[in-house]
Amino acid sequence: MPETNRLYFVPLSEIRILRDEINDLFALAKILAPILRINILYMIKRAGSGHIGTSFSSVDLMLWLWLNAMNRPNENIPNSDTFFSSKGHDAPALYAVLTALEKLPFELIHKLRKLGGLPGHPDIHTPFIATNTGSLGMGISKAKGMAIANRLNGNRARIFVLTGDGELQEGQIWESLQGAANRNLSEIKVIVDLNGIQSDTLVSQTNNMSPLCKKFESFGWRGFVCNGHDFENIQECLNQMDKEEDRPQVLFARTRKGHGVPFMERVDDDGLYKFHSGAPSDANYPLALEHLVTKANDELAGISRPELKLAAEEPAVQPPVNTPARETVISAFGKALAELGRREEGLVVLDADLAVDCGLMPFKKEFPARFIECGIAEQDMVSVAGGLARKGKIPVVNSFACFLSARPNEQIYNNATEDSKIIYVGSLAGLCPAGPGHSHQSVRDISALRNTALSIVQPLNGIQARELLLWAAVENSKGSYIRIANTPVPEELANISMGKEIKPGWSTNLIPGHQALILSYGQTITYEAYRAVLSLKESGVEVALDHMNWLNLFDFGWIEKIVGPFPLIIVIEDHYRTGGLGGNLLPAIVEAIQYVPKFAIVGLEEVPACGRNDEVLKYHGLDAGSLIQKIKQLL
Amino acid sequence: MPETNRLYFVPLSEIRILRDEINDLFALAKILAPILRINILYMIKRAGSGHIGTSFSSVDLMLWLWLNAMNRPNENIPNSDTFFSSKGHDAPALYAVLTALEKLPFELIHKLRKLGGLPGHPDIHTPFIATNTGSLGMGISKAKGMAIANRLNGNRARIFVLTGDGELQEGQIWESLQGAANRNLSEIKVIVDLNGIQSDTLVSQTNNMSPLCKKFESFGWRGFVCNGHDFENIQECLNQMDKEEDRPQVLFARTRKGHGVPFMERVDDDGLYKFHSGAPSDANYPLALEHLVTKANDELAGISRPELKLAAEEPAVQPPVNTPARETVISAFGKALAELGRREEGLVVLDADLAVDCGLMPFKKEFPARFIECGIAEQDMVSVAGGLARKGKIPVVNSFACFLSARPNEQIYNNATEDSKIIYVGSLAGLCPAGPGHSHQSVRDISALRNTALSIVQPLNGIQARELLLWAAVENSKGSYIRIANTPVPEELANISMGKEIKPGWSTNLIPGHQALILSYGQTITYEAYRAVLSLKESGVEVALDHMNWLNLFDFGWIEKIVGPFPLIIVIEDHYRTGGLGGNLLPAIVEAIQYVPKFAIVGLEEVPACGRNDEVLKYHGLDAGSLIQKIKQLL
C-alpha cells in the first residue's frame, strides 16, 4: 500500500496505454471507472474540498457519454452533441473524464479549486464546459434554449443534461418540463443521477419525490430506468431513447452516492450522509484509495493486464492558517437558535436541505415539530414562512446567501408587503470560501435584498451572531436578513461583542486612528482590513478600523459623531463594489450631514474568481497586502 | 333598459332582502350569481381597469365558499377556515362577495383601485384578506405555512386556495405540492379556476398543461372535478374532499372565463382573448349589463320575485388627461423589435404570457419561429434565453418589470456569469399604473438587478425606446435591461430623441437652468418633474431638468461637465428612494470629481399605494405639486 502522507493519482501515461490497447469500449470503461475515481479522490483531497459522493455516483454515466455515446461532444460545431451537468457539483467527475480523454490538459487535475485551475462548479471559461451550473434546477430550461437554437440553425443534435435527484425538488425543473414536451424536443435527454441521497440525508427523508417516472410522464416526457453503473445497460437505454421521435426523454439512472468506496455509500446511524461535500479526512483518504486501487487491479487482472502504476504528489501546501477561534459563526448561531427556541415558542425554523451547513441541527434535534424541512425548494420555503407569519409564528428561514437572496427574491418581497416579521439567514455569504465558485459566492445579496424592508446585518464572530439573532427575534419589529460568512474567525476578532446594549446603525471600533476611517463587515474581509491597518500603524499611518454590523441602517447620530470628523472614509466590501454597505451609506451621509468627506469603496469589480481563499482575496485586491496599498494611495 | 351614460349596481338594500328572504342557500346563490357580476362589472368599469374575465369565472366558487362551505371564514380565530386566491387578479369577485355579505362596507364597491379603497390585487390591509397575492404561484406554499402554524396551535381548520389554470405553469406550484402530500396536509384544498384561458389566449395554445389531474396525483394529491358554476356540484365535491384524511386535495372547477356575458366567454378570431384585463368599452358595458340583468330577472321570476332595482352612479370623474402622444412607448418598442428582427437573424424573442401587453405581437406575427412563448414561467424563460445565447442567439426576454427582475433573479445572474448578451425588457416599470397594486408596481427592479452585469436603461418615449433597443442589440456587447413604463407619453415629451449618436452615461437636457439640476427617468415621473420645473420657472426659479436614460452607467466626462457645475443635484426616482438612479450615481460622482455637490434623492419610501395614478403620485409626494415644494425646500 502507498505511503499515507502522499496523495496518489493515475497518471495520463497509464490511462493512455489502456485507451490505446483496450479496443472494447465496455471493457475500457470498466477499467477506467475505478481509475477515474482514484483521480477524483486525488483532486478533492488535494483541493481540500469538493463533492465526492455525487462525483462517484455520476462518473460512470459521464464516462460512458463522453467515451462512446455522444457524437463529437461539446465541440460547438453543427451536429455535435452537448452534455452538461445541471447539478454541477459533480464537476470533479467531469474533470476526471475530460482529463483522461485529453479534452483538458491532464495537469489540471492538480489544480481543482485553485486560481486559474478547475472551478468548483462548471464554468464556460474551462474548455468543453457547455454552460455554468451549480445553482440547481436550471439545466432543462437551458437545454431547451440550446435545442431551439440548434433547430433554428437546422440541426437536431442531442442535448444530454445530468441532474441530481434532490435537484428535482426545485420548481424550475417542473416549470421547464411541459414546454419541452409541447415543442416535441426529443433531442433533449435528461439523465437523473438517482443516488437517493441529497446534501444532508436521504431524498426520501427530506422531501420524498417518488414516483418520479410517473411525474415526468404526466408532463409528457418518456421515462426510462437503468443501472447507472452498468455501461451495457446505460447504452441499451440510450439506444431506446433515441427511438423516441416526438418526446423528450428522462433516464433514471439508479446509482449509489459514493459508489466505489463502501463506507462512502452509506447514510450514518445519525441519519446523515457525511460525504456530500468536503475532502475525505486523512484517515479516510488511504482507506478509500485502497478500495479503488484494489478494484482497478482486480479489473486489470481480469483482462490479464499488469497492476496500476500510481503517481504521487505531496499534499498541496496550504497557506498558513491563523489561529482560528474554537467556535465558528455558524455553530454559534446554531446554538443561539436552539436557545432562542426555548424562549420563543412561536419560533419556527425552515431549511432547504442545508441543515448541517446552516447550523440548524441543534434546533432540529430539540424542536423537531418546529423544524420544517422544505427540501431544495427556496421559493416554497419563503412562501411557507409567509404563511406561518400570517398565522402568528416567527419563521427563521435558512439557506446559503447566494440562493436565499436570489431564487426566492420575489417571494421575500411579497412577504415584506405583509409587514411580516421573518428572519432570513444567509450562510456562506461573501467572497470566501472561494472554492465552490461564483454560483456559491454570495456577493450581490445586499443589493438584491436592498428594497425588501429587511434590516440587513452581519456578525463579526459567534458572539455577535448570538447578539444579532436575539435582536432580530426580540427587538426588531420587522424582518431581518442575517448575513453569515462561513470562514474561520481569527482569535483576535473572536471576543468582540456589540456591547450590552445593541445600538442599531452604530459601528464597533476595532482599532483607533485619525487619518481615515475604514469600515468593513464580517470576519473574512475585516480580518484582512485588520491586518492592513495594524501594519500601517507600524509604519506610522494611523487609520481607524470599525466593524459595521448594519449594512442598510445608519444612525444619523453615528454619522455625525463617528463618520463626520474623519477626512477620509473607506468602505471595504465583502460584496460587489456597487450596492453594498458603501452604496447604502453614502446617500445616508449626504442626508445626515449635508457634506461628504473623501469617500472610497473597495470591493469586487468582476464575477468572483474560484480558488483558495488567500489566492482569490489577493486576485481581487481584497487581501491585507492589497488593502495596504489602496489605503496608502487614498490617504 | 337603463341609460347608457351611467353605471349601474345592485344596492345592498336589494341584496339584503334576498339574503333575508331566501332561506335555501342554493337558490340564494343562483340569484346572487348574476347580481354579483353586475357589481363586478360596475366596479371595473368605474375603476377603468380590472380583471373581468377571471372575476366572472371564479365568482360562483367564491360565493359558495363564503356563503355556505366555509366555517367562519378568515376570522383569524382558532378553527376558522381560511380562503384566499393565489392568482389574486380575481379580487373584484371577492370584493363583490364580501360587500354583498357585509364583511366589507358596501360603499367600497365605488372605490375599486382608488386610494384608500379596494386594491387591484388582494392586500391584507383590507379586512378579511388572508394574504397578499397577485404575483402568481405562491398560494399553495403559503397555505402550507398556514396549515403548519394551525397544527402547531392544535387545529386543523381548512385552507381553501383558489388558483388559475394558467398559474399552474409557475414552477413554484409544483415545488410546493410534494411537501403538502408528504406532510399529509389534508386540510389544504386547492380549487383551480379551470377556465382554459390565460392572459393572452387559450392555455392550450400557450403551454398546454394537461393532463392536470394526473400531474397533481403524481405529486400525491387527490384530484376532483366539478362544474364551477353549479353550486350543488361544487358542494358535492367539497363534501367528498372533506373525507380525505391524509392527502391534500385539488378541485378542478370547470368554468368559463367571462361567464355570464356570452361575448366575454370567447377567444376572438385572431386567437386572442380580449377580456382578461381592462374595463369594458363604453359600447360593451351596456351590452354586458343587459345580459346580466336579464339573467338576474329571469332567476327572480323563476322564484316569483320582483325585478331587480338597480342603483346608478355617474361614471367616476377621471382626472384631466394631458394630450398623450399617439404612440405609446410599448407600441414603439414592439414595432422596433419587429424591424430589428429583419436585420438581425439571430434575434429570438421570449415571452411569458404577456405578448400583447409587452408589445410583442408584431414580432410574433412576422417571425413565429423566432418567437418563444414560455407561458407563465419566468425562471424557465430566462434560462431558455441563457441556452439560446450559449448557442449564439441574441435573446430578447420580456415580462413585467416586477416579475422579470425578481422571480428569475438568480437565473439572470447565472446568465451574466456566462458573459451572455441578452436583452431583458421589463414593462410596466415604476409606480404607475398604480391601479394593480404593489405586486405589479415595479419599484425595486433597479436595485434587484444592480449587480447582474446589465446596462440598465429607460426610454422617455417611443423614439428613445427604438434608440435604446438598437443600442442594446447592436452597440452594447453585453447584456441590457430596458425598463419601460406603460403610462401615456405626453405630447411635450414625445419627440425628444437621444440624438444621432448615442452617448452612454450622458443625460438629455429638457429644460435649461442653473440653480439646481433635476435628474429623472421615464415619462411618468419626468412629466411630473417637467411640469414642476416649468412652474418654478414662472416664479423665477431657474432649475435645469435632464432626462437620464442610463440608470447604472455614468460617463465621468458627463459628471465633470454637466453635473459638477451645479450647486444642487436632485434625483427623482420612479423607484424606491434607495438603490435607484440616485444610489447608483452618488458614488460615481464622488469617484469622478472627488467632490459632492448638495445632493438629494426623492423617491418612494414605503410600499407603493394602489389607486389612480394622480392620487398615488400625490400620496407619495411625486406629483408636480409636491415636487415644486420639495425643490423649493432644497434650494
Side-chain angles (χ1 to χ4, degrees), chain A residues 131-132 135 141-142 144 171-172 175 178 182 207 215 379-380 409-411 414 418 444 451 578, chain B residues 131-132 135 141-142 144 171-172 175 178 182 207 215 379-380 409-411 414 418 444 451 578:
Chain A
T131 189
N132 290 2
S135 174
S141 301
K142 289 192 165 194
K144 284 159 68 181
Q172 190 180 353
E175 188 172 297
Q178 189 71 56
N182 291 348
N207 192 16
K215 283 188 172 69
Q379 300 190 71
D380 182 51
N409 188 279
E410 193 179 22
Q411 287 77 8
N414 174 275
E418 293 180 341
R444 61 182 201 97
N451 284 310
T578 48
Chain B
T131 188
N132 290 2
S135 174
S141 301
K142 288 192 167 194
K144 285 159 68 180
Q172 189 179 353
E175 188 172 296
Q178 188 71 57
N182 291 347
N207 192 17
K215 283 187 173 70
Q379 300 190 70
D380 182 51
N409 188 279
E410 193 179 23
Q411 287 77 6
N414 174 276
E418 293 180 340
R444 62 181 201 97
N451 285 309
T578 48

Side-chain angles (χ1 to χ4, degrees), chain A residues 275-578:
Chain A
F275 299 96
H276 175 74
S277 62
S281 66
D282 289 346
N284 280 335
Y285 173 71
L287 298 175
L289 181 63
E290 188 172 353
H291 279 294
L292 296 171
V293 172
T294 304
K295 174 70 175 166
N297 285 333
D298 285 353
E299 290 286 345
L300 288 167
I303 52 171
S304 309
R305 297 193 63 92
E307 287 201 342
L308 270 186
K309 289 191 201 94
L310 296 177
E313 278 284 329
E314 301 300 322
V317 180
Q318 296 296 326
V321 177
N322 299 287
T323 317
R326 268 160 304 175
E327 192 174 54
T328 64
V329 182
I330 202 70
S331 71
F333 164 77
K335 275 184 237 163
L337 189 63
E339 283 160 24
L340 192 63
R342 284 170 224 149
R343 258 178 72 169
E344 297 282 341
E345 282 194 8
L347 205 77
V348 178
V349 172
L350 296 95
D351 174 49
D353 189 30
L354 290 166
V356 173
D357 286 343
C358 292
L360 310 179
M361 297 311 289
F363 187 95
K364 179 180 177 178
K365 276 183 195 146
E366 194 166 340
F367 305 104
R370 289 197 268 144
F371 178 84
I372 304 175
E373 177 53 64
C374 300
I376 308 171
E378 296 81 7
Q379 300 190 71
D380 182 51
M381 173 171 65
V382 168
S383 295
V384 167
L388 285 159
R390 288 296 299 147
K391 294 285 181 188
K393 302 296 177 190
I394 304 175
V396 183
V397 182
N398 302 270
S399 185
F400 287 165
C402 50
F403 308 140
L404 186 59
S405 61
R407 186 66 64 113
N409 188 279
E410 193 179 22
Q411 287 77 8
I412 292 173
Y413 184 60
N414 174 275
N415 290 343
T417 64
E418 293 180 341
D419 312 321
S420 288
K421 174 169 173 161
I422 297 177
I423 303 170
Y424 300 94
V425 186
S427 298
L428 216 77
L431 185 60
C432 299
H438 50 68
S439 61
H440 287 59
Q441 288 162 297
S442 185
V443 290
R444 61 182 201 97
D445 52 324
I446 300 172
S447 52
L449 294 178
R450 181 67 189 89
N451 284 310
T452 55
L454 300 172
S455 299
I456 305 180
V457 297
Q458 180 159 357
L460 176 62
N461 53 37
I463 292 169
Q464 296 189 4
R466 187 179 310 254
E467 289 166 345
L468 284 171
L469 175 63
L470 265 177
W471 177 82
V474 181
E475 307 281 322
N476 188 16
S477 63
K478 296 199 167 185
S480 305
Y481 170 54
I482 306 178
R483 192 174 194 261
I484 291 183
N486 295 42
T487 51
V489 180
E491 194 64 66
E492 299 97 306
L493 303 180
N495 297 310
I496 296 161
S497 153
M498 295 172 70
K500 274 194 187 161
E501 190 199 348
I502 301 278
K503 290 168 79 181
W506 286 74
S507 61
T508 307
N509 182 256
L510 303 183
I511 301 171
H514 62 275
Q515 291 179 259
L517 173 64
I518 316 284
L519 289 168
S520 70
Y521 50 97
Q523 72 272 25
T524 312
I525 295 293
T526 301
Y527 191 50
E528 301 301 321
Y530 184 83
R531 287 185 295 159
V533 169
L534 284 186
S535 165
L536 286 165
K537 207 169 272 290
E538 282 171 20
S539 61
V541 179
E542 295 282 337
V543 300
L545 174 64
D546 272 31
H547 183 261
M548 192 64 190
N549 295 100
W550 314 90
L551 306 183
N552 67 343
L553 176 62
F554 313 106
D555 188 289
F556 280 15
W558 169 75
I559 293 175
E560 278 167 36
K561 192 173 160 199
I562 306 295
V563 176
F566 281 96
L568 168 64
I569 311 293
I570 305 172
V571 175
I572 305 179
E573 306 277 357
D574 193 9
H575 189 272
Y576 281 115
R577 197 161 161 256
T578 48

Side-chain angles (χ1 to χ4, degrees), chain A residues 79-205:
Chain A
N79 290 313
S80 79
D81 290 338
T82 300
F83 167 86
F84 63 90
S85 167
S86 179
K87 57 182 157 132
H89 50 259
D90 48 16
L94 182 57
Y95 299 146
V97 171
L98 295 178
T99 49
L101 300 184
E102 295 179 71
K103 301 278 185 189
L104 289 180
F106 191 80
E107 302 72 50
L108 284 173
I109 75 163
H110 310 304
K111 298 199 72 181
L112 178 67
R113 295 182 170 223
K114 301 284 185 294
L115 194 67
L118 295 168
H121 287 82
D123 185 280
I124 55 162
H125 300 97
T126 308
F128 290 94
I129 298 296
T131 189
N132 290 2
T133 53
S135 174
L136 299 177
M138 302 180 192
I140 300 175
S141 301
K142 289 192 165 194
K144 284 159 68 181
M146 293 178 181
I148 294 168
N150 282 345
R151 286 195 180 194
L152 286 169
N153 294 339
N155 85 71
R156 297 200 174 193
R158 296 174 299 174
I159 320 259
F160 293 88
V161 183
L162 188 67
T163 77
D165 46 0
E167 185 182 11
L168 301 181
Q169 291 161 351
E170 279 288 2
Q172 190 180 353
I173 292 284
W174 307 96
E175 188 172 297
S176 66
L177 292 184
Q178 189 71 56
N182 291 348
R183 287 184 167 263
N184 309 113
L185 298 177
S186 55
E187 60 268 52
I188 296 183
K189 287 139 203 305
V190 168
I191 303 176
V192 179
D193 178 11
L194 197 75
N195 61 36
I197 298 173
Q198 48 194 107
S199 177
D200 284 338
T201 186
L202 298 170
V203 176
S204 62
Q205 293 297 307

